Amino acid sequence: MFTDATILFQIAGIGIIVALIHTILKQMGKEEIAQFATLLGFIIVLVIVINGLDDLFQQIKSVFLFQG
């Protein structure tokens, strides 16, 4: 999973979109909704990273414990 750069592009894309949404909402005077959108983006990225780490640990476990 970490061999290709798709996860990096996904995280960067989410970051750019969240930054744009945050900026637009902040200029409209909706500071609380902008902070909520930023928090939601952070949670989405965190889930992506946790899933990637889970895959990495499963691969390490299969290498060192000789499991399929």
Side-chain angles (χ1 to χ4, degrees):
M1 173 136 182
F2 287 105
T3 56
D4 56 338
T6 57
I7 192 168
L8 296 176
F9 288 126
Q10 287 177 349
I11 292 172
I14 291 170
I16 290 170
I17 292 170
V18 167
L20 287 173
I21 291 172
H22 181 83
T23 303
I24 291 169
L25 288 173
K26 193 172 180 181
Q27 287 181 357
M28 290 174 57
K30 305 202 183 276
E31 181 73 30
E32 293 176 359
I33 299 174
Q35 289 178 352
F36 180 73
T38 304
L39 179 64
L40 188 63
F42 176 73
I43 290 171
I44 291 170
V45 169
L46 193 62
V47 167
I48 291 172
V49 170
I50 288 173
N51 285 336
L53 286 175
D54 182 51
D55 290 343
L56 176 67
F57 285 134
Q58 291 299 325
Q59 288 178 357
I60 291 172
K61 186 177 167 183
S62 69
V63 167
F64 287 113
L65 297 178
F66 303 109
Q67 295 178 351

